[in-house]
């Protein structure tokens, strides 16, 4: 086992996880208003619903499949399925939902790059993360093609050993388990770990967002429009007072002399 293999697949995953956790905490604490997906559906709704549904259905199944497939010990699933059958199941289901996700992601990327209004409201990180996800998805589909050359499930077992060894804090065992797999699997794993590094700095943070604060918020009083409230409004003090007018002598009509009441008769 080379030092580079140990660094990339034994040490780098812990560094990526630390960046993900610390970066997410810092962003949520310092910039909560940026913790969002930044939906652009109001700007352009053309094929948005179809593309978003295809992408999210596909990516959610893929994430659940990776989580269960990599972290379930071999001794546990051997009671009801063999390694070869598990690999075949992963290839068929992962290929189906991977294609769905690829179609949806391609539509979303095309919309973000070609629609003028959506493109103007997009940041560089929005486009970058879509391209990274596209590259990761293509690599994942290519691993299915590579898996057709060995249907015994041995590579699946090695990848599972790598993930389980990382969880149990055995980086040397993890690096040794993945050292013998082909390059396409290593590229897929490395880019997948890199997504943890990009997670706190992109719109991916909305994956772990949930309206938990909404459950503990205070009650809001909502009044119907046009209905006078039960409590009378407090009269506001006047902010402007007109100046009092001064008493002036009446004007004298032309042709008449003004008389002074104090002058002698």
């Amino acid at each position: 086992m080379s030092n580079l293999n140990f660094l990339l697949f034994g040490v780098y995953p812990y560094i990526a996880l630390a960046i993900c956790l610390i970066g997410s905490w810092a962003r949520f604490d310092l910039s909560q208003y940026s913790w969002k997906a930044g939906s652009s559906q109001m700007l352009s709704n053309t094929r948005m619903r179809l593309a978003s549904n295809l992408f999210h259905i596909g990516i959610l199944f893929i994430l659940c499949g990776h989580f269960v497939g990599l972290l379930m010990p071999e001794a546990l699933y051997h009671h009801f399925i063999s390694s070869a059958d598990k690999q075949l199941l992963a290839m068929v289901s992962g290929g189906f939902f991977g294609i769905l996700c690829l179609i949806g992601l391609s539509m979303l990327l095309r919309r973000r790059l070609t629609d003028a209004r959506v493109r103007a409201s997009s940041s560089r990180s929005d486009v970058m993360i879509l391209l990274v996800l596209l590259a990761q998805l293509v690599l994942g589909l290519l691993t299915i093609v590579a898996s057709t050359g060995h249907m015994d499930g041995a590579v699946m077992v090695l990848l599972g050993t790598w993930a389980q060894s990382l969880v149990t804090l055995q980086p040397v065992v993890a690096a040794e388990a993945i050292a013998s797999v082909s390059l396409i699997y290593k590229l897929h794993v490395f880019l997948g770990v890199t997504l943890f590094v990009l997670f706190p700095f992109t719109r991916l943070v909305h994956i772990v967002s949930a309206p938990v604060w909404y459950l503990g918020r205070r009650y809001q009083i909502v009044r119907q429009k046009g209905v006078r409230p039960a409590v009378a409004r407090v009269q506001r003090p006047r902010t402007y007072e007109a100046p009092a007018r001064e008493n002036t002598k009446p004007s004298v009509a032309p042709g008449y002399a003004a008389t002074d009441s104090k002058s002698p008769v």
Side-chain angles (χ1 to χ4, degrees):
M1 181 182 64
S2 63
N3 293 332
L4 180 60
N5 185 81
F6 175 71
L7 179 63
L8 294 179
F9 302 104
V11 178
Y12 179 56
Y14 294 109
I15 298 175
L17 183 60
I19 294 175
C20 178
L21 295 178
I22 298 174
S24 299
W25 171 78
R27 179 175 178 178
F28 184 80
D29 186 61
L30 302 176
S31 183
Q32 292 187 13
Y33 288 105
S34 68
W35 192 283
K36 58 183 179 179
S39 176
S40 58
Q41 186 174 0
M42 296 182 62
L43 300 177
S44 176
N45 198 24
T46 306
R47 294 184 297 274
M48 173 66 178
R49 180 173 299 179
L50 176 61
S52 179
N53 288 336
L54 289 176
F55 171 72
H56 284 94
I57 291 174
I59 200 68
L60 288 176
F61 182 89
I62 291 173
L63 290 176
C64 293
H66 278 69
F67 182 81
V68 175
L70 291 175
L71 297 181
M72 181 178 291
E74 183 182 4
L76 184 60
Y77 64 77
H78 269 182
H79 292 288
F80 52 89
I81 191 173
S82 63
S83 298
D85 293 337
K86 179 190 175 186
Q87 176 178 331
L88 181 60
L89 177 62
M91 291 171 61
V92 175
S93 58
F96 174 75
F97 286 97
I99 292 175
L100 289 184
C101 185
L102 179 62
I103 295 174
L105 181 59
S106 300
M107 295 174 64
L108 291 176
L109 183 60
R110 179 179 179 273
R111 171 179 173 273
R112 189 163 292 275
L113 294 177
T114 58
D115 192 287
R117 299 182 65 188
V118 178
R119 185 71 181 91
S121 64
S122 302
S123 61
R124 294 181 179 179
S125 64
D126 294 338
V127 179
M128 180 269 296
I129 199 62
L130 289 179
L131 293 175
V132 174
L133 289 174
L134 180 62
Q136 176 69 347
L137 186 57
V138 171
L139 286 175
L141 293 175
L142 291 178
T143 59
I144 298 177
V145 179
S147 297
T148 58
H150 41 80
M151 298 296 297
D152 56 352
V155 176
M156 287 285 193
V157 174
L158 292 176
L159 293 175
T161 304
W162 168 79
Q164 295 162 30
S165 300
L166 288 177
V167 173
T168 56
L169 304 180
Q170 303 179 70
V172 177
V173 178
E176 289 177 350
I178 204 174
S180 59
V181 302
S182 60
L183 181 61
I184 188 67
Y185 295 100
K186 291 183 177 180
L187 290 176
H188 184 57
V189 169
F190 176 78
L191 192 56
V193 174
T194 304
L195 285 174
F196 284 92
V197 179
L198 302 176
F199 182 87
F201 309 106
T202 60
R203 61 193 300 162
L204 291 180
V205 293
H206 79 280
I207 297 175
V208 295
S209 299
V212 292
W213 303 112
Y214 183 82
L215 300 176
R217 69 175 177 84
R218 296 182 177 180
Y219 290 103
Q220 295 180 350
I221 300 177
V222 181
R223 296 188 178 96
Q224 188 177 357
K225 185 177 181 181
V227 177
R228 181 173 298 180
V231 181
R233 296 181 180 179
V234 180
Q235 186 68 24
R236 295 182 179 180
R238 297 179 61 181
T239 58
Y240 174 77
E241 294 288 343
R245 294 184 178 181
E246 297 180 359
N247 294 327
T248 56
K249 295 181 180 181
S251 57
V252 180
Y256 293 88
T259 59
D260 191 358
S261 59
K262 295 182 180 180
S263 58
V265 178

